[in-house]
Amino acid sequence: MPRAEPAVPVRMRRVAVVAPEKALRESLVRIAEAGCVEIDLVGDGGPEVRRPAATRLRRLRTEPAQPVLSEAPPDLDALEREGRTDLLAGEAQLEERLAGAVRHGEAAALAGWCPKREMGATAARIAGVGGALVVLRAPRGVDPPTLLTGAVTAPPAHPARTVRRSFTPLVSTYGTVPYADLDPTLPAGIVYAVMFGVMFGDAGHGLLLVALALLLRAGRPRRLAALRPLWPFVAGAGLAATLAGVAYGEFFGPTGVLPVLWLAPLEEPMLLLAAAVVLGAVLLAVAYAAGIVNRWRESGPASALYATTGVAGATLYLGLAAAAGCVWLGRSAFAAVGAVIAVVGLALAGAGLYATTAGGPGGAVQTGVQLLDAMVRIGSNVVSFARLAAFGLTHAALGAIVWDGTRGLAGRGPAGVAAALLVFLAGNALAFSLEALVAGVQALRLEYYELFSRLFEGEGRPFRPWRLPVEHIPGPAAGAGLPAAGETPVGETARLGPAREDCS
């Protein structure tokens, strides 16, 4: 049974690539081939005289091809004559990193970051040419770069990470998760699918999405082959929509194919609205809990206690929710308990906000405005989840219109049957495309503005490992006769070492 994935970004280590000066180039070539180390770039890369490949590349005045590294030091003049912009571009990147090396005697070193789990394999890779990977103490006040677990290419036999990887764009589109924070990829994907399903609740339409996901998995159509890694994301949304459709009794509209297991949206809209708001309230509570953990991991217990996205904000939210719930249920006497809890939250949040101001009357006014804004936001955020019900009703209404039109035409002879079939197909195609777009956008909005705004207070820096393909080409003594850019030297192209999975 595979080990459960951690709920945090991939653990990073500050490292130095150390090698004798004569072996530094070959060590860096192997680092680039492995693609698991982010190397610090220092300054402008050194004087122009130390950048001969970059100089030749600019002199060609052509768009560089995809950078490629040569295993052996190439003849730069021959590369320029043959127009090998791909190898020149790779050599220019290598020069940029070599220029930032710290040298002492015959040894040279470059600092960077490497995922902890890749250090052993990377160290073994460069040890063969005399290099070493040395662990350094992380610089004070500098956060490591972030690499989400789902961003790592996994073997096909690891379905859990395949699903997580398909959800990664949902988080990375919002921003880079700070290194200290929790990795929200998997729960964010599940929540998105649930919200999408509530708004797109139709078993027939949901099954169409599942079928589309299976086509993407098979690499069809070829024009959408780049979207193949997202097939679990599409399948999850389709499955959620199918289950919601079963609960609503909707199968390409209210066709009667499925019985209503929970409620019919158009017959009980208020119950659907209440359920949507309750679901939103639960999701907000979970977001506050994750926010408390993130504030603690970022800045310690004080930040977790006083932040409006920490304990203070969560207490204010729970107090207001309890007071509103008691009033709605007709238990006004218990609303006072919720009000007391909300006051405690206000006091904590006010103390935290006031500490960030310049103090005095101006600081007090600023704090008051921010507290009022926090309370208004809580109310508006909870009510905002009513759109789950609103768009669910819209989807059901469109399905009902199409089905009513289909039934009205079906009883008018053969021509009516043909017209009914056309209305049914065209109407469902329109409803499917329109509602899929609307539900997808609205679920994204709820995730970003209502939930992620409580999880994150800042943004991290993405992990950008140096990765280039490597070619064997003739060395300086045999510089003539090189193939043009994009061609493969017959019998001379090889990757260094066995194929491996990428780090990002």
Side-chain angles (χ1 to χ4, degrees):
M1 183 175 181
R3 185 177 61 181
E5 296 287 357
V8 294
V10 174
R11 296 296 88 187
M12 291 285 171
R13 289 292 180 268
R14 184 68 171 170
V15 297
V17 179
V18 183
E21 179 70 33
K22 62 182 180 181
L24 182 59
R25 185 191 188 282
E26 191 170 356
S27 296
L28 287 180
V29 169
R30 296 199 172 202
I31 289 290
E33 170 76 8
C36 286
V37 179
E38 177 184 290
I39 296 177
D40 295 349
L41 297 178
V42 180
D44 61 1
E48 183 65 31
V49 68
R50 299 169 63 186
R51 303 286 302 278
T55 302
R56 287 169 170 80
L57 188 62
R58 285 194 297 269
R59 215 153 48 201
L60 288 175
R61 296 182 181 179
T62 59
E63 187 68 24
Q66 182 68 29
V68 176
L69 268 179
S70 164
E71 182 191 15
D75 183 334
L76 299 181
D77 292 330
L79 294 182
E80 184 179 4
R81 285 195 305 271
E82 300 295 335
R84 289 300 303 265
T85 57
D86 54 345
L87 286 169
L88 284 173
E91 204 65 24
Q93 289 192 21
L94 183 64
E95 289 175 348
E96 187 177 17
R97 284 151 181 83
L98 287 172
V102 177
R103 292 169 171 81
H104 182 73
E106 295 184 358
L110 285 158
W113 298 93
C114 180
K116 179 181 177 181
R117 64 189 180 198
E118 300 290 344
M119 287 184 57
T122 305
R125 192 176 188 87
I126 63 176
V129 294
L133 198 66
V134 180
V135 179
L136 303 177
R137 181 178 297 177
R140 182 173 299 179
V142 177
D143 290 331
T146 300
L147 173 63
L148 298 181
T149 303
V152 181
T153 304
H158 202 324
R161 196 178 294 176
T162 300
V163 172
R164 186 188 288 262
R165 184 188 179 199
S166 73
F167 292 158
T168 299
L170 184 65
V171 178
S172 59
T173 301
Y174 181 82
T176 302
V177 176
Y179 180 76
D181 285 9
L182 299 174
D183 180 355
T185 303
L186 190 58
I190 294 173
V191 168
Y192 181 93
V194 169
M195 293 191 297
F196 179 89
V198 172
M199 292 184 283
F200 197 69
D202 186 291
H205 293 171
L207 290 175
L208 286 178
L209 272 181
V210 173
L212 177 60
L214 295 177
L215 285 176
L216 287 177
R217 185 175 186 270
R220 306 290 182 181
R222 293 186 181 277
R223 290 177 299 175
L224 301 180
L227 301 179
R228 186 176 184 274
L230 299 180
W231 77 265
F233 180 84
V234 179
L239 180 59
T242 301
L243 295 177
V246 171
Y248 298 158
E250 296 275 332
F251 185 82
F252 294 110
T255 56
V257 173
L258 297 175
V260 178
L261 296 185
W262 178 42
L263 60 81
L266 296 179
E267 295 178 7
E268 298 181 86
M270 296 308 297
L271 179 57
L272 181 61
L273 177 63
V277 173
V278 170
L279 174 61
V282 172
L283 293 177
L284 285 173
V286 174
Y288 271 115
I292 293 171
V293 176
N294 284 345
R295 300 298 85 75
W296 188 297
R297 292 171 61 89
E298 291 166 358
S299 306
S303 176
L305 179 62
Y306 294 110
T308 55
T309 55
V311 173
T315 304
L316 175 60
Y317 168 72
L318 291 177
L320 293 176
C326 289
V327 171
W328 186 47
L329 295 174
R331 299 179 180 273
S332 301
F334 294 98
V337 177
V340 171
I341 296 174
V343 169
V344 172
L346 277 174
L348 290 173
L353 292 171
Y354 185 77
T356 63
T357 68
V365 172
Q366 179 181 339
T367 300
V369 171
Q370 290 176 314
L371 288 176
L372 178 62
D373 177 69
M375 289 190 292
V376 171
R377 282 187 60 211
I378 286 175
S380 63
N381 290 160
V382 174
V383 174
S384 186
F385 281 92
R387 70 187 64 222
L388 295 175
F391 289 104
L393 287 169
T394 302
H395 194 182
L398 285 175
I401 292 172
V402 173
W403 181 240
D404 288 345
T406 301
R407 288 195 305 171
L409 292 171
R412 301 184 180 181
V417 171
L421 181 61
L422 179 62
V423 167
F424 182 78
L425 294 177
N428 273 283
L430 177 62
F432 176 88
S433 56
L434 179 63
E435 287 299 306
L437 175 62
V438 171
V441 171
Q442 293 301 323
L444 195 65
R445 184 217 176 274
L446 288 170
E447 188 120 61
Y448 285 176
Y449 288 96
E450 271 63 45
L451 302 179
F452 280 13
S453 62
R454 286 165 172 79
L455 263 64
F456 307 122
E457 282 196 340
E459 189 170 354
R461 181 177 66 81
F463 176 62
R464 302 188 188 279
W466 186 42
R467 179 186 302 113
L468 289 178
V470 176
E471 283 186 1
H472 290 283
I473 67 168
L482 290 173
E487 294 182 2
T488 300
V490 179
E492 294 288 349
T493 300
R495 294 177 61 87
L496 294 180
R500 62 179 311 282
E501 62 183 73
D502 291 340
C503 290
S504 63

